[in-house]
Amino acid sequence: MRTMGNAFQRLFTFLGLLHYGAAATSLAGNWTLVQQGLTGVSGLQLAVVSETKAIIIDKVENNALMVDGHIAWAVEIDINTQEVRALDPLSNTWCATGSFLSNGTLISSGGSPIRITGEDGLQALRLFTPCTDGSCDILEDPTRIRLTSARWYPSSVRIEDGSVLIFGGSLLNNYINNATINNPTYEFYPPKNIHGFNGLQIPSQFLNDTINGNHFPNLVYLPDGRVFISANTQAMIFDWKTNTETQLPGIPNGVRISSPFSAGHVLLPLSAENNFTPEILICGGSTVSDFADPLTLTSQEPTSSQCIRMALDEAGIAKGWEVDQLPEGRIMADLILLPDGRVLVIDGAMTGVAGYGNVADQIGQSNADNPAFMPVIYDPAAPLGSRFSRDGLIASTIPRMYHSTASLTPNGTIMLAGSNPNADVSTIMYATEYRLEFLSPPYMAVERPSYTGLPATFDFNSKITLDVDLPEGTKDVKVALMDLGFATHAVHMDQRLLYLDAVLHEDKTKLTVTGPPTPALFPPGPGFLFVVTDSGVPSFGHQTLIGTGASPPVDEDAIAKYVYAQQDDDAAGCAVVLAAGAEAPMSVECSNVASAIMNMLLI
């Protein structure tokens, strides 16, 4: 019986690998963790913006770091030296979302109305174009360029034309969404003339159906050009081109998965070997009622250990969610894709809910307790029941719960920052955290492949040839193209791994790589390219712009309507209130404002 069981186990393992296909062998060994550097502002939001730099954005609070005579709440940080350069956004970035455009500009949208210094952030649009000379800053022009409605806790996703879809949120700040403050709409940046809503926000039924617990809904761009969206206990596929919502099987066992019941989610790696079939992984969450008075809740509320996975093809949807279990319940966990195809589950808490200042028995001000210090690895190629492992992993001693972030870096380490479950900078229990950590997988301690020859732009279906230097004994390689995403509140906007078609030349010194087959498989914009050996060891991830590097399309008609909708009081003749069903002709002054906005959109 044991022999037969082992035979079946080997068969199931083989079938799982055959189905998944894209995962590389993973190098065994011990992970290392170092505390190195300070962030200057707490790491509420984090995005890697170049091969050496990351941007960290906080809410407006009383950090010691100053910029232009006032407190700072955003920095650019050098990943290698941890040198910090203060940035100067104008508005409160608290609970904003972020995505990169096709030209490499980061768009931060939404935020908070609370002012310590600066502007109201609810309708804010902030642009950050990375630079190499230390001169770049966050650009805002609140009177000219902003969202068409207020958004607190929205999400965003880059789509196949290189623009950004911004989805959901609340009209005011609150612990949890509700029908009186819900913003059940989405919009595009740059604005689009689409579905009869020229340049303006468009209604979404899903955002009505999922209140109360639908802050920071999970958005994933799919290879067929549609968007997977999940929030609360529901999921759907959204066709933005036809404005159609298609319901998917609900989240099993009543587990809620979006803030303040935050689960981690990720799109598993895509490759030709798995026919580019998208699979969604969602881990953690809570079964707490989203209509409960928070004063009836406790920081000791159990969290869910449920980890679910579904393939979004016809067979996978018919099968529904496959249910697995984390080693422990977890909320606010970050799920980080590794170049070898595995997923790191890290940070968060084992009890309570997200947020601060709400539950009856706050820890300091935190709504959560029992930090999840020990990470775990999820191997999507392993059979169900044996996908989680802690072999060689190391625990942190720094609680990273609400308002913490994590990201893979180009050199292959995982950068860990933040945690501030308080109304302001604090030294109480679970205090404001500025310490930076770097978690290093075992591959950081061995000889790694390297390459040169990656161009600044890498177009779809084009071929490039890299010069590679491979460790002795390497028989083959994979090429992992990764979007490292924008992380906040355990949500990773746009995080993605696509294995590209690659042919290693016979002498193993050159590698011919083909760009993504379609923009839906990897929407045009920043990507980091890792060469991964057959032993699971990645190279440094050099950066390129997938596509041509061009700005996303700008619709002049939508911009004109957008200008009218903004009622720009600073431009004479542009503060126009439209009569129902009619549009005033564009004045010269208003045309000039539209042109200025278009120039900003094309930054």
Side-chain angles (χ1 to χ4, degrees):
M1 288 297 291
R2 178 175 297 177
T3 302
M4 183 65 72
N6 289 342
F8 276 119
Q9 182 65 54
R10 288 193 298 271
L11 175 62
F12 291 146
T13 300
F14 170 75
L15 291 175
L17 290 170
L18 183 64
H19 168 69
Y20 196 72
T25 301
S26 302
L27 185 72
N30 292 324
W31 297 57
T32 59
L33 180 68
V34 295
Q35 294 176 22
Q36 194 165 309
L38 300 174
T39 55
V41 300
S42 190
L44 170 65
Q45 301 159 33
L46 169 64
V48 173
V49 298
S50 74
E51 293 183 9
T52 58
K53 300 292 174 63
I55 187 171
I56 294 177
I57 304 175
D58 194 6
K59 65 181 186 287
V60 180
E61 56 185 336
N62 287 296
N63 297 305
L65 187 67
M66 301 291 288
V67 61
D68 196 27
H70 63 81
I71 59 172
W73 62 92
V75 299
E76 181 189 69
I77 188 165
D78 190 295
I79 297 168
N80 300 316
T81 67
Q82 293 79 57
E83 181 181 359
V84 165
R85 180 172 69 91
L87 302 176
D88 194 12
L90 300 181
S91 60
N92 195 340
T93 49
W94 187 9
C95 300
T97 184
S99 287
F100 288 89
L101 297 175
S102 54
N103 60 7
T105 294
L106 174 66
I107 301 300
S108 167
S109 52
S112 169
I114 296 174
R115 300 187 188 193
I116 296 177
T117 185
E119 302 288 332
D120 183 327
L122 281 174
Q123 287 185 246
L125 277 168
R126 312 168 191 91
L127 295 81
F128 180 79
T129 300
C131 62
T132 57
D133 62 1
S135 65
C136 45
D137 207 336
I138 294 172
L139 173 64
E140 288 190 69
D141 189 346
T143 64
R144 297 278 181 94
I145 183 167
R146 57 185 182 269
L147 294 170
T148 61
S149 61
R151 298 188 187 275
W152 157 269
Y153 279 93
S155 291
S156 58
V157 66
R158 186 169 72 254
I159 62 178
E160 63 193 80
D161 67 359
S163 61
V164 173
L165 188 159
I166 303 160
F167 193 81
S170 293
L171 301 173
L172 293 170
N173 58 311
N174 193 40
Y175 155 71
I176 193 168
N177 206 1
N178 63 65
T180 65
I181 61 171
N182 188 33
N183 185 348
T185 71
Y186 65 95
E187 58 186 284
F188 296 93
Y189 184 87
K192 294 185 185 298
N193 181 2
I194 191 171
H195 309 315
F197 295 89
N198 192 358
L200 303 178
Q201 67 268 26
I202 306 167
S204 166
Q205 184 59 41
F206 182 81
L207 288 166
N208 284 319
D209 294 342
T210 53
I211 54 173
N212 286 341
N214 64 0
H215 278 157
F216 281 130
N218 301 317
L219 275 65
V220 173
Y221 206 68
L222 300 177
D224 65 2
R226 298 184 294 171
V227 184
F228 169 83
I229 304 180
S230 63
N232 206 331
T233 60
Q234 298 186 40
M236 71 154 173
I237 292 178
F238 175 54
D239 190 330
W240 64 271
K241 298 171 188 175
T242 63
N243 198 28
T244 304
E245 300 180 354
T246 302
Q247 187 174 359
L248 290 170
I251 307 303
N253 302 312
V255 176
R256 305 187 194 283
I257 58 168
S258 49
S259 186
F261 315 110
S262 312
H265 85 285
V266 73
L267 172 69
L268 294 176
L270 299 165
S271 75
E273 291 177 313
N274 62 20
N275 297 316
F276 303 114
T277 301
E279 290 191 80
I280 303 295
L281 180 70
I282 303 174
C283 293
S286 174
T287 57
V288 167
S289 170
D290 58 332
F291 284 87
D293 180 340
L295 289 177
T296 68
L297 303 180
T298 167
S299 61
Q300 308 306 310
E301 295 287 344
T303 57
S304 176
S305 63
Q306 180 170 274
C307 204
I308 58 174
R309 173 173 166 179
M310 183 165 61
L312 297 180
D313 57 5
E314 185 176 352
I317 293 170
K319 178 184 175 184
W321 293 101
E322 179 183 78
V323 178
D324 207 342
Q325 300 295 326
L326 288 161
E328 64 278 313
R330 201 180 282 236
I331 199 165
M332 301 179 286
D334 287 287
L335 269 58
I336 309 295
L337 286 167
L338 301 177
D340 64 11
R342 297 179 301 163
V343 180
L344 176 71
V345 183
I346 194 165
D347 294 344
M350 294 186 288
T351 63
V353 294
Y356 65 80
N358 307 111
V359 301
D361 63 340
Q362 301 157 33
I363 308 299
Q365 293 180 0
S366 176
N367 290 348
D369 194 11
N370 298 299
F373 291 115
M374 189 69 179
V376 61
I377 284 286
Y378 177 89
D379 185 351
L384 180 65
S386 59
R387 292 175 180 157
F388 289 104
S389 171
R390 284 191 162 127
D391 292 345
L393 280 164
I394 186 171
S396 176
T397 58
I398 299 176
R400 296 202 189 269
M401 302 191 297
Y402 193 56
H403 290 172
S404 66
T405 48
S407 178
L408 184 73
T409 70
N411 65 21
T413 60
I414 295 88
M415 185 178 185
L416 308 174
S419 193
N420 186 29
N422 304 289
D424 200 352
V425 170
S426 176
T427 57
I428 61 177
M429 185 70 171
Y430 303 140
T432 307
E433 187 56 67
Y434 298 112
R435 287 175 293 175
L436 194 61
E437 288 177 297
F438 292 90
L439 180 64
S440 294
Y443 57 65
M444 296 297 294
V446 301
E447 183 183 4
R448 299 173 64 185
S450 61
Y451 71 87
T452 57
L454 182 67
T457 60
F458 187 9
D459 209 354
F460 299 96
N461 283 304
S462 66
K463 292 184 184 293
I464 59 172
T465 297
L466 305 175
D467 293 312
V468 294
D469 186 3
L470 303 177
E472 187 175 352
T474 302
K475 297 181 175 61
D476 202 1
V477 296
K478 289 181 179 292
V479 173
L481 176 64
M482 302 188 71
D483 187 329
L484 305 184
F486 177 96
T488 186
H489 290 74
V491 182
H492 288 254
M493 318 294 171
D494 301 306
Q495 185 182 201
R496 198 175 198 87
L497 194 168
L498 173 66
Y499 286 107
L500 299 178
D501 179 61
V503 177
L504 186 62
H505 295 204
E506 188 174 351
D507 64 2
K508 298 183 181 178
T509 64
K510 294 187 180 297
L511 180 67
T512 298
V513 185
T514 304
T518 69
L521 277 170
F522 197 100
F528 293 83
L529 193 145
F530 296 83
V531 173
V532 186
T533 70
D534 46 10
S535 60
V537 179
S539 68
F540 184 91
H542 293 289
Q543 187 182 38
T544 185
L545 281 176
I546 299 300
T548 65
S551 299
V554 175
D555 188 312
E556 294 188 29
D557 189 41
I559 292 294
K561 185 65 174 285
Y562 172 86
V563 169
Y564 280 125
Q566 301 302 340
Q567 298 184 34
D568 191 334
D569 295 325
D570 288 350
C574 218
V576 178
V577 179
L578 298 179
E583 291 190 8
M586 232 6 192
S587 67
V588 172
E589 294 86 350
C590 201
S591 295
N592 290 338
V593 174
S595 296
I597 289 176
M598 287 183 66
N599 289 334
M600 290 182 72
L601 294 172
L602 293 169
I603 194 167

